[in-house]
Coordinates of all heavy atoms in Angstrom, one line a residue:
V1 N 106.9 121.0 146.1 CA 107.8 119.8 146.5 C 108.3 119.2 145.2 O 109.4 118.8 145.1 CB 107.0 118.8 147.3 CG1 107.7 117.5 147.4 CG2 106.7 119.4 148.7
L2 N 107.3 119.1 144.2 CA 107.6 118.5 143.0 C 108.8 119.3 142.2 O 109.7 118.7 141.7 CB 106.4 118.3 142.1 CG 106.7 117.6 140.7 CD1 106.9 116.1 141.1 CD2 105.5 117.7 140.0
N3 N 108.7 120.5 142.3 CA 109.7 121.4 141.5 C 110.9 121.8 142.3 O 111.9 122.1 141.7 CB 108.9 122.6 140.9 CG 107.8 122.2 139.9 OD1 107.9 121.2 139.2 ND2 106.7 122.9 140.0
E4 N 110.7 122.0 143.6 CA 111.8 122.7 144.3 C 112.1 122.0 145.7 O 112.5 122.7 146.6 CB 111.5 124.1 144.6 CG 110.9 124.9 143.5 CD 110.2 126.3 143.9 OE1 110.3 126.6 145.0 OE2 109.6 126.8 143.0
R5 N 112.0 120.7 145.7 CA 112.0 120.0 147.1 C 113.4 120.3 147.6 O 113.5 120.5 148.9 CB 111.9 118.5 146.8 CG 111.9 117.7 148.3 CD 110.6 118.2 149.1 NE 110.8 117.9 150.5 CZ 111.2 118.6 151.4 NH1 111.5 119.9 151.2 NH2 111.2 118.2 152.7
E6 N 114.4 120.3 146.9 CA 115.9 120.4 147.4 C 116.0 121.8 148.2 O 116.7 121.8 149.2 CB 116.9 120.3 146.3 CG 116.9 118.9 145.7 CD 117.4 117.8 146.5 OE1 118.0 118.1 147.6 OE2 117.4 116.7 146.0
S7 N 115.3 122.8 147.7 CA 115.4 124.1 148.2 C 114.3 124.5 149.2 O 114.4 125.6 149.7 CB 115.6 125.1 147.1 OG 114.5 125.1 146.3
T8 N 113.3 123.7 149.3 CA 112.3 124.0 150.2 C 112.7 123.9 151.6 O 113.2 122.8 152.1 CB 111.0 123.0 149.9 OG1 110.7 123.1 148.6 CG2 109.9 123.4 150.9
V9 N 112.4 124.9 152.4 CA 112.8 125.0 153.8 C 111.5 124.7 154.5 O 110.5 125.4 154.4 CB 113.4 126.3 154.2 CG1 113.6 126.4 155.7 CG2 114.6 126.7 153.4
L10 N 111.6 123.7 155.5 CA 110.4 123.4 156.2 C 110.2 124.3 157.4 O 111.0 124.3 158.3 CB 110.4 122.0 156.7 CG 110.4 120.9 155.7 CD1 110.4 119.4 156.2 CD2 109.1 120.9 154.8
T11 N 109.1 125.1 157.3 CA 108.8 126.0 158.4 C 107.8 125.2 159.4 O 107.3 124.2 159.0 CB 108.0 127.2 157.9 OG1 106.9 126.9 157.3 CG2 109.1 128.0 156.9
E12 N 107.4 125.9 160.5 CA 106.4 125.2 161.4 C 105.1 124.9 160.6 O 104.5 123.9 160.8 CB 106.1 126.1 162.6 CG 105.2 125.5 163.6 CD 105.0 126.3 164.9 OE1 105.7 127.3 165.0 OE2 104.2 126.0 165.7
E13 N 104.8 125.9 159.7 CA 103.5 125.7 159.0 C 103.5 124.7 158.0 O 102.8 123.7 157.8 CB 103.1 127.1 158.4 CG 101.8 127.0 157.6 CD 101.4 128.2 156.9 OE1 102.2 129.1 156.8 OE2 100.3 128.4 156.3
N14 N 104.5 124.8 157.0 CA 104.6 123.8 156.0 C 105.0 122.5 156.3 O 105.0 121.6 155.6 CB 105.3 124.4 154.7 CG 106.8 124.6 154.9 OD1 107.4 124.0 155.8 ND2 107.4 125.4 154.1
S15 N 105.7 122.3 157.5 CA 106.0 121.0 157.9 C 104.8 120.1 158.3 O 104.8 118.9 158.0 CB 106.9 121.0 159.2 OG 106.2 121.5 160.3
I16 N 103.7 120.8 158.7 CA 102.4 120.1 158.8 C 101.9 119.7 157.6 O 101.4 118.6 157.3 CB 101.5 121.0 159.6 CG1 102.0 121.2 161.1 CG2 100.1 120.2 159.7 CD1 101.3 122.2 161.8
L17 N 102.0 120.7 156.6 CA 101.5 120.3 155.2 C 102.4 119.2 154.7 O 101.8 118.3 154.0 CB 101.7 121.6 154.3 CG 100.6 122.6 154.3 CD1 100.9 123.8 153.5 CD2 99.3 122.0 153.7
W18 N 103.7 119.1 154.9 CA 104.5 118.1 154.5 C 104.1 116.7 154.9 O 104.0 115.8 154.2 CB 105.9 118.4 154.7 CG 107.0 117.3 154.6 CD1 107.8 116.8 155.5 CD2 107.2 116.6 153.2 NE1 108.5 115.7 154.8 CE2 108.2 115.7 153.5 CE3 106.7 116.8 151.9 CZ2 108.7 115.0 152.5 CZ3 107.2 116.0 151.0 CH2 108.2 115.0 151.3
Q19 N 103.9 116.7 156.3 CA 103.4 115.4 156.9 C 102.0 115.0 156.2 O 101.9 113.8 156.0 CB 103.2 115.7 158.3 CG 104.4 115.9 159.1 CD 104.2 116.3 160.6 OE1 103.3 115.8 161.2 NE2 105.0 117.1 161.1
D20 N 101.1 115.9 156.0 CA 99.9 115.6 155.4 C 100.1 115.1 154.0 O 99.5 114.1 153.5 CB 98.9 116.8 155.3 CG 98.4 117.3 156.7 OD1 98.6 116.5 157.7 OD2 97.8 118.3 156.8
L21 N 101.0 115.6 153.2 CA 101.3 115.3 151.9 C 101.8 113.8 151.7 O 101.4 113.1 150.9 CB 102.2 116.4 151.2 CG 102.5 116.2 149.7 CD1 101.2 116.4 148.8 CD2 103.6 117.1 149.2
V22 N 102.7 113.6 152.6 CA 103.3 112.2 152.7 C 102.2 111.2 153.0 O 102.2 110.2 152.4 CB 104.5 112.2 153.8 CG1 104.9 110.6 154.0 CG2 105.6 113.0 153.3
K23 N 101.3 111.5 153.9 CA 100.3 110.5 154.3 C 99.3 110.3 153.1 O 99.0 109.1 152.9 CB 99.4 111.1 155.4 CG 100.3 111.1 156.8 CD 99.4 111.5 157.9 CE 100.1 111.5 159.2 NZ 99.3 112.1 160.3
V24 N 98.9 111.3 152.4 CA 97.8 111.2 151.4 C 98.4 110.9 149.9 O 97.6 110.5 149.0 CB 96.9 112.3 151.4 CG1 96.2 112.5 152.7 CG2 97.5 113.6 150.9
S25 N 99.7 111.1 149.7 CA 100.2 111.1 148.4 C 101.3 110.2 148.0 O 101.8 110.2 146.9 CB 100.6 112.6 147.9 OG 99.6 113.5 148.1
S26 N 101.8 109.5 149.0 CA 103.0 108.7 148.8 C 102.7 107.3 148.3 O 103.7 106.5 148.1 CB 103.8 108.6 150.1 OG 103.2 108.2 151.1
S27 N 101.4 106.8 148.2 CA 101.1 105.4 147.8 C 100.6 105.2 146.4 O 100.9 104.1 145.8 CB 100.3 104.7 148.7 OG 99.0 105.4 148.9
P28 N 99.8 106.2 145.8 CA 99.3 105.9 144.5 C 100.3 106.0 143.4 O 101.4 106.6 143.5 CB 98.3 107.0 144.3 CG 98.8 108.2 145.2 CD 99.4 107.5 146.4
G29 N 100.1 105.3 142.2 CA 101.0 105.1 141.1 C 100.8 106.3 140.3 O 100.0 107.2 140.4
G30 N 101.6 106.3 139.1 CA 101.5 107.4 138.1 C 102.5 108.4 138.2 O 103.2 108.4 139.2
K31 N 102.6 109.2 137.2 CA 103.7 110.2 137.2 C 103.3 111.5 137.7 O 104.0 112.3 138.3 CB 104.1 110.4 135.8 CG 104.8 109.3 134.9 CD 105.2 109.7 133.6 CE 104.0 109.8 132.6 NZ 104.4 110.0 131.3
R32 N 101.9 111.8 137.6 CA 101.4 113.1 138.1 C 101.1 113.2 139.5 O 100.6 112.2 140.0 CB 100.2 113.5 137.2 CG 100.6 113.7 135.7 CD 99.5 114.3 134.9 NE 99.2 115.5 135.4 CZ 99.8 116.8 135.2 NH1 100.9 116.6 134.5 NH2 99.4 117.8 135.8
P33 N 101.1 114.4 140.2 CA 100.8 114.4 141.6 C 99.3 114.1 141.9 O 98.4 114.5 141.0 CB 101.1 115.9 141.9 CG 102.0 116.4 140.9 CD 101.7 115.6 139.6
K34 N 99.1 113.3 142.9 CA 97.7 112.9 143.3 C 97.7 112.7 144.7 O 98.7 112.6 145.4 CB 97.3 111.8 142.4 CG 98.1 110.5 142.6 CD 97.8 109.4 141.5 CE 98.1 109.8 140.1 NZ 98.3 109.0 139.2
A35 N 96.5 112.6 145.2 CA 96.2 112.4 146.7 C 95.1 111.4 146.9 O 94.1 111.3 146.0 CB 95.8 113.7 147.3

């Protein structure tokens, strides 16, 4: 997502991962990915 979000196609499997990522990773501060 960090490197290729524009070209990432959401499949049935990774759409679930995407929902999980948004829930656990969209609130903390900082530049680097975290959860």
Side-chain angles (χ1 to χ4, degrees):
V1 167
L2 186 65
N3 298 323
E4 309 166 12
R5 185 66 194 102
E6 298 286 355
S7 59
T8 299
V9 177
L10 291 182
T11 63
E12 182 176 352
E13 178 185 17
N14 68 18
S15 68
I16 296 174
L17 276 173
W18 171 237
Q19 293 171 33
D20 291 350
L21 187 65
V22 169
K23 288 180 183 178
V24 303
S25 297
S26 56
S27 60
K31 297 182 290 185
R32 298 189 58 77
K34 58 193 65 160

